Amino acid sequence: TMLSSTSAGALSALRIDLADGGSATITDYGAHVLSWGPASGDERLYMSESAVLDGTKPIRGGVPVIFPQFNAFGPGVRHGFARSVVWTREEQRSGRDFATATWV
């Protein structure tokens, strides 16, 4: 398993390449999972063709962090503020059969 810093559009990201050939990409912007696929290489997450990867607005598709509210069911911005801020990658490590990363 290998972890490497990469970019997705203009966004900094972490790429995880698993020993079995699977992979995932997570951006620091919103701690958003952009991509995940097994060893077959088939992408399993939907990413909108209109997704903007420059940090000007939340990403459309993938797996976002929705906090502290869903949609407009609360006083804050739609789906919360967490998906439209740059998170800090605090820790990342991997071994033969695992990978872990923490964003704060």
Side-chain angles (χ1 to χ4, degrees), residues 10 18 22 42 64-65 69-70 80 84:
L18 302 173
D42 298 329
V65 175
Q69 70 185 45
F70 181 74
S84 59

Side-chain angles (χ1 to χ4, degrees), residues 13-26:
L14 176 68
R15 180 166 170 95
I16 303 170
D17 289 298
L18 302 173
D20 71 358
S23 66
T25 303
I26 304 108

Side-chain angles (χ1 to χ4, degrees), residues 3-73:
L3 303 176
S4 56
S5 290
T6 189
S7 60
L11 305 175
S12 61
L14 176 68
R15 180 166 170 95
I16 303 170
D17 289 298
L18 302 173
D20 71 358
S23 66
T25 303
I26 304 108
T27 64
D28 296 334
Y29 181 72
H32 197 115
V33 181
L34 294 181
S35 173
W36 173 78
S40 66
D42 298 329
E43 178 61 45
R44 299 298 170 109
L45 299 180
Y46 170 78
M47 182 62 58
S48 172
E49 289 182 11
S50 61
V52 177
L53 300 175
D54 66 3
T56 60
K57 56 184 173 177
I59 300 166
R60 296 184 64 180
V63 181
V65 175
I66 303 296
F67 180 82
Q69 70 185 45
F70 181 74
N71 202 338
F73 301 117

